[in-house]
Amino acid sequence: MMDEPWFWREDSAAAGAIRAVLSPLSRAYAAGARLRADFTKPQRAPAPVLCVGGASLGGAGKTPFCLMLADLLSEKLSQIAFLTRGYGGASAGPLRADAEKHTFRDVGDEALLLAKKKPTWVARNRVAGARAASAAGADLIIMDDGFQNPTLVKDFSILLADRETIAGAGAVFPAGRLREPFSEARNRADYIVCVESSSLSAADGDADDQAWLELDLSDAPKRAIAFCGIARPERFFTGLRDGGVELIATSAYRDHAVFSQAQVQALLKAAADQDAGLITTEKDLVRIDPGLRSKIFAIRAQMRLHQPEKLLSAIEARLSQHDAG
C-alpha cells in the first residue's frame, strides 16, 4: 500500500492547491467506480454475507471489528467464516488460510489474524471465496473489506469511518484518502460506526454507534521503543502513551511494510541501549522473521462497541429476512 501523501491531511494553502489540481482525477476515479457498479450484476452466496468496510484507504479498523463481530455472533451461529482478499499475499485463492502453515507472503497479514479465530478464506474473486466458504459449511460469512466491490451481494453492510469523514471532510483519491464520496457510501450502508481513538468521545449523531480500539498492555514494558507499519500509526503510539507506556522513540513505516532482519535488529539494539523494551502491533509481528519475534512485545488491539446489542438486533432482523427468502 502506498504511503499517505502529506497533502491528504494537512490544512494549508499548498495542500489545498494540490488537492484542487488533482480534483478532476478524483472525479474520474469516483465515476469509474460508479460505472463498474452499474455494469456489474452481483452474485449471491449460499450463506448470508456481512460486509465490514470503509470509505477510506486503510486505517478504519476493519479486521479488529470483524474479530469482535465474530465473538458477538458466535452465540447465535456456530459456523462463521471470514472472507478476505488477502492483501499482500501471493495466493489468488480461494484458499483457506492456515495460521500454522501459511505466512503473510502467502495470504497477507490480516488473514493470519482472522484465521486464529475462525475459518478464513482468501480470495481475490469474492464470489468464488464466498462459495468456497459456504461449501465448507459456513452458515454466515463475515467479509473483511470489499464494501466497494460490486460482484458479491452483501446481506448487511457495516461502514466504519472516523468523525471527520462522517462530517464530510476528506477528498476522493488521489486528492485524498477516500475510496468514494462518503455520501454515496452512506447510502449503501446498513449500519454506520464512528471509530474513535478512545471511548471518551461522545458518539457521533450521524452514526449508529461508536467504537474504539483498546490496547492490551497487561504485559507491555513501561519504557519502550515502538514501531509499526499500519495505516494510522499515530493511533497506536497515542494508545501506548495513554496506557502509561513511556515511549523513548517511535518509528512509523508504510502500511503492510515487510521488516528486514537488519531493521528489526537495529531497533532491538536501540531499545537495549536505552534499557527499554521493543513494542509493535500483533498485525506487524507476523511480518517479522520468526527468529526475532520472541524478543518483541506484540500488542493486541481489541475493538469495543458502545451498543453491541443494537448492532446484533439489526443483523438478526436482516438475517431473518434472508432465511425467509
Side-chain angles (χ1 to χ4, degrees), residues 59-318:
K62 295 181 290 293
T63 299
F65 197 95
C66 286
L67 292 168
M68 177 200 67
L69 189 57
D71 284 336
L72 290 176
L73 292 167
S74 288
E75 292 184 8
K76 305 286 184 180
L77 298 160
S78 59
Q79 302 298 321
I80 297 173
F82 292 120
L83 173 62
T84 179
R85 183 183 182 278
Y87 184 88
S91 176
L95 171 70
R96 179 171 172 176
D98 186 333
E100 300 299 324
K101 173 184 175 183
H102 297 126
T103 71
F104 73 94
R105 297 185 187 278
D106 302 316
V107 297
D109 49 19
E110 289 149 347
L112 293 177
L113 295 182
L114 294 170
K116 292 179 180 179
K117 173 79 69 175
K118 296 287 183 182
T120 299
W121 291 85
V122 171
R124 293 177 191 169
N125 182 322
R126 305 301 176 89
V127 175
R131 288 174 176 167
S134 299
D139 53 18
L140 177 71
I141 298 168
I142 299 177
M143 184 163 67
D144 183 350
D145 209 357
F147 185 83
Q148 285 77 24
N149 187 311
T151 63
L152 181 64
V153 172
K154 292 98 172 176
D155 295 276
F156 194 89
S157 291
I158 302 168
L159 182 64
L160 308 183
D162 58 27
R163 185 177 296 270
E164 292 76 19
T165 301
I166 292 175
V172 174
F173 181 85
R177 64 193 307 269
L178 296 184
R179 300 181 183 188
E180 61 178 317
F182 186 74
S183 58
E184 296 180 14
R186 178 196 296 277
N187 290 337
R188 298 198 317 280
D190 297 294
Y191 207 86
I192 298 174
V193 177
C194 180
V195 180
E196 297 283 356
S197 58
S198 72
S199 63
L200 301 178
S201 302
D204 192 285
D206 293 326
D208 295 292
D209 202 353
Q210 183 216 3
W212 68 98
L213 279 172
E214 188 173 277
L215 301 183
D216 181 0
L217 301 177
S218 55
D219 296 322
K222 296 302 181 184
R223 175 182 168 90
I225 289 177
F227 73 102
C228 62
I230 56 178
R232 299 287 188 89
E234 70 280 358
R235 286 184 177 177
F236 177 55
F237 300 144
T238 299
L240 292 173
R241 292 189 181 99
D242 290 346
V245 178
E246 179 189 356
L247 293 184
I248 308 304
T250 60
S251 294
Y253 298 82
R254 57 185 286 272
D255 196 11
H256 298 281
V258 178
F259 301 102
S260 68
Q261 285 191 18
Q263 285 176 314
V264 177
Q265 286 170 345
L267 288 166
L268 285 167
K269 183 179 185 303
D273 290 345
Q274 294 285 337
D275 193 25
L278 184 61
I279 290 178
T280 192
T281 72
E282 189 179 34
K283 178 180 173 181
D284 286 297
L285 192 70
V286 302
R287 287 181 268 111
I288 292 172
D289 184 274
L292 297 173
R293 292 176 189 172
S294 63
K295 303 177 182 179
I296 302 167
F297 294 88
I299 304 301
R300 183 184 180 194
Q302 293 180 292
M303 189 68 78
R304 303 296 188 190
L305 193 64
H306 269 301
Q307 303 178 76
E309 293 302 324
K310 180 182 176 183
L311 175 58
L312 282 178
S313 296
I315 292 173
E316 289 170 4
R318 183 60 57 84

